[in-house]
Amino acid sequence: MYALVDSNNFYVSCERIFNPTLRHAPIVVLSNNDGCVISRSNEAKKLGIPMGAPAFEFKNKFSELGIHVFSSNYALYGDMSNRVYRILQNYTPNVEIYSIDECFLHFNNFSAQPLDQYCKKIRQEILQKTLLPTCIGIASTKVLAKAANHIAKKFPQLQGVYLIDTDEKRIKALQWLNIEDVWGIGRRMSKKLKSKGVHKAIQFTKLPDEYVRKQFSVVGLRLKKELEGISVLELEEVQSKKHIATTRSFDTTYTNKEYLAERITTFAVTCAAKLRKQKATCQLVTVFVQTNRFNEAHEQYSRSINVSIPYPTNSDIEIAKYAKKGLDLLFKAGLHYKKAGVIVGGIALENEKQFNLFEDEPFKHRKIMQTIDKLNTKYGTQKLKLASQALDKTWKMRQEHLSPNYTTKWSDILEVR
Amino acid sequence: MIQFIKFGSELEYLPIKSQGKKYYVQLREGVNAGFPSPAEDFLNDRISLDELYLSKVESTFVNRVKGLSMYPDYLENDILILRSDYEPQHGDDVVVSINSTEYTLKRYDKINSKLVALNPKYANSVTINENDEVVILGVVDALVRNIKNRK
């Protein structure tokens, strides 16, 4: 069985941990460079603030409605995300980070207590230790677990946990679930399905396999199988819009740090290339390493770390540099590593910055990045360092509403009276 | 073929091969016969304050005290190590918010359902009512106080 643990309005909830006066206040968190709304409290949702609302357009509305505005603080969010991950690891070694606020747990078929009771305990522990509210969906496949999570979120009487463990429950869930809310069904695919009269997930599962494969390729067919309760998806097969991951299991285990460093660098560069392809930037790099969990003779170790980058970037060099920093903090000598990965988050589109009419700096920034990339391939890393140092000075991100780094900086720790 | 040269019945001597893989071992200075130095096993260790205060990073918060509401037990600029995994017990000091107020440091009087400010000059002790929303950031586990540079 799979469980998807998802933090509710994660960025907003992180801001609330250290500011209890805002527990019931409308809050929004803005993307990189204070571009647009990327996280909303339920109160802000009720006031009609849409996801992606451009900050400059809504500026007056925010102050009229008394909405509290925050710049994104990835150092804080990364640290809180890591805390949740650590707690989850106490319950099962099979934890997969899907994005900064979502983790998949995999449970073997035996369990001392019913899984929904078990997950209620997990949820309670996360709430007590981090003050973060979460929802947990449990089902036999990842796509169904995501659907169960959706249900747990929509119906407060479920107390944040929903388990799909019978076919009856599965069908009921799919009758309720809109096709566009099925995990992995993109906008284009759901549009196409709707034009054919498929509006609910249950209708999609009634289509013949052959038809689905022809129209939506093997990806569509796999989603259909998952909805039917047949697990076919491994991690990384469905890409989140919120993050880009490059992770690999190695052919054998490695103990050598140089090898891991080389792998991590390669993964970071791959992520950067994907970002550039999507014309996007990231502001957070998650690095993880894992030993072979099936070899009980060796010491088990599984850690992830989030490193926040002070400015949005999609440069190979920058991302690799921060990923390497993460590895330095994670690496423990003498262990047999089997898997490692780099996940980038805090993704924003490059052109999102156009919302700032009076700021042409990001374009300069991008040019410099491209030049760095070119220089790098031509002359190696030495030149690059100079350029990246100069960068820090020439371009400063807009963060007018940044909260303190409560958990990562001595100068920023919370003061209590 | 490897020949073992026997020294009595307890020691074996392996002949040195000239080909094959070479292994290097760390050379420690001053290797003597007799008992090994008791420090040898701890060569790379150093006292770690993290070990003492941050053994549970997922449930530790660090705060700084402002004001004198908890004088004499707490002074301004004391650093608090809070643990959010502890269930507050009678007599514990907690960083707490009631009904969406700012966090304050208080002593928990479980018997009278009260949060007490220790300094008698501060009359801001609070009684906890049944319907209050109580948020506890953590229970004070330790405090770090700078003695040399205090004013």
Side-chain angles (χ1 to χ4, degrees), chain B residues 40-85:
Chain B
E40 233 167 60
D41 285 344
F42 304 96
L43 276 180
N44 298 314
D45 284 354
R46 194 170 291 157
I47 282 180
S48 156
L49 290 176
D50 283 6
E51 200 179 296
L52 205 58
Y53 296 125
L54 292 175
S55 60
K56 288 264 188 294
V57 288
E58 70 274 16
S59 40
T60 305
F61 293 108
V62 181
N63 286 183
R64 186 181 283 114
V65 176
K66 284 286 149 198
L68 291 167
S69 75
M70 289 291 271
Y71 183 84
D73 286 22
Y74 295 86
L75 302 179
E76 176 125 11
N77 292 329
D78 280 354
I79 286 168
L80 305 174
I81 313 291
L82 305 180
R83 285 283 292 272
S84 54
D85 52 337

Side-chain angles (χ1 to χ4, degrees), chain A residues 232-280:
Chain A
V232 290
L233 284 182
E234 289 290 321
L235 182 71
E236 297 125 32
E237 292 197 37
V238 178
Q239 286 281 342
S240 157
K241 287 173 211 116
K242 285 186 270 182
H243 83 297
I244 290 171
T246 309
T247 67
R248 297 278 180 279
S249 290
F250 309 140
D251 49 347
T252 172
T253 57
Y254 291 91
T255 51
N256 163 320
K257 191 178 173 187
E258 278 67 50
Y259 179 82
L260 274 181
E262 186 277 319
R263 291 282 79 199
I264 291 290
T265 306
T266 307
F267 298 160
V269 167
T270 310
C271 287
K274 285 182 195 165
L275 281 170
R276 285 199 294 271
K277 211 173 149 194
Q278 298 179 10
K279 298 201 187 314

Side-chain angles (χ1 to χ4, degrees), chain A residues 107-345:
Chain A
F107 294 110
N108 297 325
N109 289 331
F110 56 88
S111 169
Q113 48 187 318
L115 274 178
D116 48 348
Q117 294 307 314
Y118 196 59
C119 286
K120 273 186 184 151
K121 228 170 84 186
I122 296 178
R123 188 175 176 271
Q124 184 50 41
E125 189 178 328
I126 294 171
L127 187 66
Q128 171 165 3
K129 289 185 175 175
T130 67
L131 295 180
L132 289 170
T134 52
C135 280
I136 307 184
I138 318 139
S140 57
T141 72
K142 287 188 171 174
V143 175
L144 283 174
K146 184 87 184 177
N149 187 288
H150 206 87
I151 292 167
K153 223 176 243 172
K154 279 279 142 73
F155 299 96
Q157 64 269 32
L158 296 171
Q159 295 175 305
V161 176
Y162 191 64
L163 166 70
I164 298 177
D165 57 348
T166 64
D167 214 41
E168 207 184 333
K169 278 184 173 174
R170 181 184 69 84
I171 289 163
K172 203 175 150 197
L174 297 188
Q175 281 166 343
W176 173 83
L177 188 66
N178 290 326
I179 191 69
E180 67 268 25
D181 293 332
V182 173
W183 189 46
I185 287 198
R187 211 182 315 157
R188 213 187 312 156
M189 195 165 155
S190 71
K191 216 173 157 188
K192 199 167 164 187
L193 281 164
K194 278 182 181 170
S195 76
K196 293 178 193 306
V198 177
H199 295 279
K200 295 283 178 187
I202 193 78
Q203 293 172 286
F204 180 59
T205 61
K206 297 269 163 66
L207 299 172
D209 279 5
E210 196 47 36
Y211 174 81
V212 171
R213 203 186 54 79
K214 262 197 188 136
Q215 294 286 321
F216 306 104
S217 82
V218 71
V219 178
L221 186 59
R222 282 170 148 191
L223 290 176
K224 184 183 172 227
K225 291 287 154 209
E226 285 263 320
L227 287 171
E228 285 169 357
I230 303 160
S231 181
V232 290
L233 284 182
E234 289 290 321
L235 182 71
E236 297 125 32
E237 292 197 37
V238 178
Q239 286 281 342
S240 157
K241 287 173 211 116
K242 285 186 270 182
H243 83 297
I244 290 171
T246 309
T247 67
R248 297 278 180 279
S249 290
F250 309 140
D251 49 347
T252 172
T253 57
Y254 291 91
T255 51
N256 163 320
K257 191 178 173 187
E258 278 67 50
Y259 179 82
L260 274 181
E262 186 277 319
R263 291 282 79 199
I264 291 290
T265 306
T266 307
F267 298 160
V269 167
T270 310
C271 287
K274 285 182 195 165
L275 281 170
R276 285 199 294 271
K277 211 173 149 194
Q278 298 179 10
K279 298 201 187 314
T281 59
C282 77
Q283 223 194 316
L284 183 80
V285 179
T286 307
V287 181
F288 77 86
V289 294
Q290 226 172 63
T291 52
N292 186 356
R293 63 170 197 253
F294 299 110
N295 187 343
E296 282 167 14
H298 288 144
E299 189 189 333
Q300 297 289 308
Y301 183 70
S302 172
R303 282 282 183 286
S304 85
I305 193 163
N306 293 292
V307 186
S308 62
I309 306 178
Y311 38 80
T313 182
N314 55 21
S315 155
D316 291 356
I317 305 112
E318 292 293 307
I319 296 171
K321 184 175 86 184
Y322 285 95
K324 177 68 181 14
K325 238 185 211 175
L327 179 69
D328 289 341
L329 293 167
L330 283 181
F331 185 81
K332 216 171 133 187
L335 300 177
H336 298 257
Y337 293 96
K338 177 70 182 165
K339 194 176 178 185
V342 172
I343 301 163
V344 293

Side-chain angles (χ1 to χ4, degrees), chain A residues 85 88-96 106 290 293 300 302:
Chain A
Y85 177 62
L88 294 175
Q89 278 186 316
N90 291 335
Y91 285 91
T92 165
N94 306 337
V95 185
E96 295 165 350
H106 187 244
Q290 226 172 63
R293 63 170 197 253
Q300 297 289 308
S302 172

